[in-house]
Amino acid sequence: MAATKTYKMGKRLIRYRNILYVLASLVIFCFYFIYDYVMVEAFPWLDGAPLVALFLLIEALMIVVVRWGADKIQNSTTYRVTGEALEIQVGKSTTVLPWKDFEEAAYKDMNFRAQCPVTYTVQGKSFLPNQYLDGLWTMNQEIINHIRPYAKIEEGLERKLSAFA
């Protein structure tokens, strides 16, 4: 029986989470100045430290919400390569793709958002693994090794995968 390897979301998702922190902070920062300029006459008791404290509280809440959402996504998405199939868990839903159902594997380099643009055809449907997984190139190599007897594999695909893994 082959060893089971689990792949989880990692560095790429964290990078996007950090970018979201910065963007949200900039928006909140801009709203602070807009509010200070437009609304402070109507609410003079908020001028100065109370307004700064209010917007710092909003900033802290935003960071907590973004971190909670990213952690929830990161912890609820896994890909498991077993001897019999690829198991994909997203939240409480699990999809099992048996190796015998894979028909084709191809490198689609016109997919600009994909870090590792290896697309599989499984039961006539196109399948691109989640691009936020740590070890994505290695996982694709493992998938290729398992589907070799069942699927048509694009010429040169294994060489491309080994160059990046």
Side-chain angles (χ1 to χ4, degrees), residues 42-120:
F43 304 102
W45 51 273
L46 274 179
D47 193 22
L51 186 61
V52 171
L54 176 67
F55 275 87
L56 286 175
L57 177 65
I58 292 170
E59 176 75 20
L61 289 173
M62 182 279 309
I63 288 172
V64 167
V65 168
V66 169
R67 178 174 284 284
W68 173 81
D71 288 348
K72 188 168 179 74
I73 291 168
Q74 186 175 18
N75 294 329
S76 67
T77 304
T78 60
Y79 280 54
R80 196 172 0 269
V81 177
T82 69
E84 298 80 35
L86 175 64
E87 298 174 3
I88 305 165
Q89 181 177 349
V90 179
K92 295 179 181 178
S93 167
T94 301
T95 303
V96 178
L97 302 174
W99 301 128
K100 63 180 177 51
D101 290 348
F102 282 73
E103 299 164 1
E104 184 180 9
Y107 191 87
K108 308 281 188 191
D109 50 353
M110 290 306 292
N111 189 342
F112 297 111
R113 292 186 344 209
Q115 177 184 0
C116 178
V118 177
T119 304
Y120 301 95

Side-chain angles (χ1 to χ4, degrees), residues 138-158:
T138 306
M139 182 187 79
N140 279 293
Q141 280 183 317
E142 287 187 48
I143 291 172
I144 296 295
N145 290 337
H146 284 288
I147 67 171
R148 188 173 282 112
Y150 311 106
K152 177 184 171 233
I153 299 170
E154 179 182 291
E155 187 176 325
L157 176 60
E158 294 176 78

Side-chain angles (χ1 to χ4, degrees), residues 1 18 26 28 39 43 52 128 133 158 162:
M1 183 170 173
N18 293 340
L26 288 173
I28 290 170
M39 301 294 288
F43 304 102
V52 171
L128 177 70
L133 299 171
E158 294 176 78
S162 63

